[in-house]
Amino acid sequence: MKKIFKLILNTIPRPILIRLSIVVRPLLAFMLKGSRFTDPIDGKSFSMFLPYGYGNQRNNVLSPSTLSLERHRLLWLYLQNETDFFTSTTKKKVLHFAPEQEFYKRFKKQSNIDYTTTDLLSPLADVKADICNLPFEDNTYDIIFCNHVLEHIPDDTKAMQELYRVLKPGGMGIFQIPQELDRATTFADDSITDQKERAKIFGQYDHVRIYGRDYFDKLRSIGFKVVEEDYTAKLSPELVEKYCLAKGEIIPVCFK
């Protein structure tokens, strides 16, 4: 199964994968019903989660029902338990880059947010836009989600500046990235052009860097106040295992 999933991820373009996954998801959820692992996004439980990874495959990480990964489930729990994102009675303007389908329909249904999605390629995007040149006014959004996007962007400094520009003063942004916390500085090497080699080194063929601990300071240099939220440390080991989370993953919560 791991080899099949790896082949699919590395050969089928992302927009097509999104459309195919919508069709396949109900079948996977039915076949893998159980009680060992639970997806906190929809509350459904399974005997196993699916493997995932463009390079090295990780076991029990992809939820059969929502297709969420560790980072998605962690973010959902954080928003649910530590913020008023789902409960606020004041309507907030939300901008979501490269919207994840496990969030998309749920966020769309929320009456307490004015929800806009954006991306260059995603079929789920309301606005087709370049993150380095956004068509939005300054200080527009109360909340911005931009998760696992910046590692694809050659000029991530310009992208961060645009995120800061369109976020309202006092607003919150969550900008998750794949990160090696034992790496002090971010690594990039444009001379590596072979897709298989890039997947091996960067974790995915279309990533342009591996972020280290200096990612947080780079966000601060743009102007953000950054909270390095180690949210799995606030959960019991039993829940970390049950929800199939990545222990020690940091959520970058950014404020303007």
Side-chain angles (χ1 to χ4, degrees), residues 15 120 126 175 182 191 215:
L120 273 177
D126 299 318
F175 311 139
D182 58 352
S191 69
Y215 172 67

Side-chain angles (χ1 to χ4, degrees), residues 119-164:
D119 191 65
L120 273 177
L121 300 175
S122 173
L124 303 181
D126 299 318
V127 179
K128 302 294 185 185
D130 179 355
I131 191 173
C132 294
N133 186 25
L134 295 173
F136 309 117
E137 297 294 327
D138 296 359
N139 308 316
T140 298
Y141 293 97
D142 298 287
I143 300 172
I144 298 177
F145 298 118
C146 181
N147 298 319
H148 282 238
V149 172
L150 292 172
E151 69 274 10
H152 297 268
I153 309 301
D155 190 353
D156 63 341
T157 300
K158 179 59 177 173
M160 291 176 185
Q161 290 170 340
E162 282 290 88
L163 292 173
Y164 187 83

Side-chain angles (χ1 to χ4, degrees), residues 50-67:
L50 297 164
Y52 187 86
Y54 284 79
N56 295 323
Q57 291 266 301
R58 309 186 305 280
N59 290 321
N60 289 314
V61 294
L62 184 69
S63 165
S65 57
T66 67
L67 300 183

Side-chain angles (χ1 to χ4, degrees), residues 21-47:
S21 65
I22 294 171
V23 177
V24 174
R25 184 171 54 191
L27 178 61
L28 291 174
F30 176 77
M31 292 173 57
L32 297 175
K33 280 184 178 180
S35 59
R36 184 181 178 191
F37 301 117
T38 298
D39 186 337
I41 297 175
D42 63 3
K44 294 181 180 180
S45 297
F46 304 95
S47 59

Side-chain angles (χ1 to χ4, degrees), residues 64-81:
S65 57
T66 67
L67 300 183
S68 65
L69 296 169
E70 308 101 316
R71 64 179 185 266
H72 305 127
R73 296 187 290 275
L74 184 66
L75 176 57
W76 180 273
L77 289 166
Y78 176 79
L79 293 173
Q80 185 178 64
N81 299 334

Side-chain angles (χ1 to χ4, degrees), residues 223-249:
F224 291 106
K225 176 184 176 182
V226 182
V227 177
E228 301 174 30
E229 183 66 61
D230 182 4
Y231 195 58
T232 61
K234 297 182 179 180
L235 302 172
S236 69
E238 292 77 17
L239 285 180
V240 171
E241 181 177 357
K242 185 177 183 64
Y243 295 145
C244 292
L245 305 176
K247 185 174 175 59
E249 179 177 352

